[in-house]
Amino acid sequence: MTVYSKKLFRNDSLEHRIARAICDAGCLPRKEFFEAWEVAKRVRRRMRGGHIYDLAAGHGVVAAILLLLDDTSPGATCVDLQRPASQAKVLAALEAEWPRLVGRITYIEGDLDDVRPAPGDLVVSVHACRDLTDRVLAVAVRAGCRVAVLPCCHDLKRCKAGAYKGWMEPTLAVDVARVVRMELAGYDVTTGSIPAAITPKNRLLLACPPSPPRPSPPPSARDITDA
Ligand SMILES: C[S@@+](CC[C@H](N)C(=O)[O-])C[C@H]1O[C@@H](n2cnc3c(N)ncnc32)[C@H](O)[C@@H]1O
C-alpha cells in the first residue's frame, strides 16, 4: 500500500481511514491489510476487551485494528521470531492518526510458545503457518483465554487431521480436528470465513473458554421459611 493506493480508499469508514494511514507508511502488502481488517472485525463482533496477544504477528496490524475497533482493550503485545523492519513505520503511521494508540502496543521478538496470557486476555493469530496455529491454540488453552486464528499452510505431516481426512479435503480435516480439540478442551467454538477473494486460506476459528461456574445464590428468606 503506497500513497498511490490511497485513491482506492476514499470514504470516511474506519476501514478506509486505517487503509489511508497505512498507505502513508508505504510498505505493507495490500493483502495483509485486508486479511487483518476482515479478521479483526469478525473477532470484535464476539470478543470485546482483554489484553491482546497477536502471535506470529508480522507487522502487528491485526493488533492495532483490534484496539481501534474496541478501546476497552488496554493494550496489545505482538510476538514474532523476527520483527519486520517496516513494522515501526506502519505503527507510527497509525499512531499519527490515532494518538491514543501511543504506548499501548509492544513488540516482542521471540517464540510464541513462551507467551503466558491471563484468562481474560485475547490471543489472535493470522496465518500462523503449518503447526504454528496448533501452538497458538495450545497457548490459549494453557491460559484458559479466548482465541481467534486464521490458519494457513497446513503441513499434513505435522498437523493432525485425525480420521476426518478419509471424508474430506485434507486441509479441511486438519481444521476440523482443531475445532474438535478445542471443544474437547471445553471451549465454545465458532467457525466462519473471510472472503476467499482476499485469501484462499480463509477459515476463521474463534473459541471462548467455558465460563466459570456461577456460585449459587444465597437462600432467600422465603426458601428458609418454606423449609
Ligand atoms: C505468514 S507470516 C504471518 C504474519 C502476519 N500475522 C500476517 O498476517 O501477515 C508467519 C509469521 O510467523 C512468524 N513465526 C514463525 N515461527 C514463529 C514462532 N515460533 N514464534 C513466533 N513467530 C513465529 C514468522 O516470522 C512470520 O512473521
Side-chain angles (χ1 to χ4, degrees):
M1 292 166 84
T2 67
V3 283
Y4 303 107
S5 334
K6 268 184 159 178
K7 58 181 178 302
L8 300 171
F9 306 103
R10 288 177 199 273
N11 68 37
D12 274 343
S13 65
L14 182 61
E15 178 188 9
H16 280 208
R17 288 174 58 209
I18 296 171
R20 285 198 298 272
I22 290 176
C23 286
D24 284 333
C27 51
L28 194 79
R30 207 181 291 177
K31 183 169 173 283
E32 237 180 89
F33 165 72
F34 284 119
E35 289 166 355
W37 171 257
E38 294 294 333
V39 168
K41 77 176 179 192
R42 284 167 176 77
V43 169
R44 279 314 197 195
R45 281 180 199 143
R46 291 176 180 273
M47 299 171 170
R48 315 285 292 186
H51 185 87
I52 297 154
Y53 283 88
D54 182 356
L55 304 185
H59 288 88
V61 177
V62 75
I65 298 178
L66 285 167
L67 282 177
L68 291 174
L69 286 171
D70 177 13
D71 210 28
T72 67
S73 279
T77 304
C78 301
V79 181
D80 199 294
L81 284 183
Q82 201 173 9
R83 178 181 185 154
S86 46
Q87 184 271 337
K89 219 171 163 190
V90 173
L91 182 57
L94 291 169
E95 286 175 348
E97 186 68 22
W98 288 279
R100 65 187 157 91
L101 289 180
V102 174
R104 288 168 71 193
I105 301 179
T106 52
Y107 206 106
I108 297 175
E109 265 191 326
D111 195 316
L112 61 83
D113 291 326
D114 297 334
V115 170
R116 296 285 176 271
D121 293 342
L122 168 59
V123 167
V124 60
S125 189
V126 174
H127 287 171
C129 315
R130 300 177 290 279
D131 64 338
L132 217 49
T133 288
D134 297 310
R135 288 157 58 185
V136 170
L137 294 173
V139 165
V141 171
R142 266 200 307 273
C145 72
R146 298 164 297 168
V147 60
V149 292
L150 187 80
C152 84
C153 308
H154 301 69
D155 176 340
L156 299 175
K157 290 208 178 94
R158 293 165 82 170
C159 304
K160 294 193 178 76
Y164 310 109
K165 62 177 181 276
W167 280 347
M168 60 185 81
E169 187 273 315
T171 69
L172 177 59
V174 167
D175 288 334
V176 169
R178 286 171 171 152
V179 170
V180 173
R181 275 206 307 283
M182 292 304 283
E183 287 181 333
L184 287 173
Y187 273 69
D188 181 14
V189 181
T190 304
T191 57
S193 56
I194 68 168
I198 293 173
T199 172
K201 298 290 184 189
N202 66 338
R203 288 193 283 266
L204 183 63
L205 185 165
L206 307 174
C208 294
S211 6
R214 270 192 261 155
S216 18
S220 67
R222 183 151 175 241
D223 291 337
I224 295 166
T225 325
D226 289 351

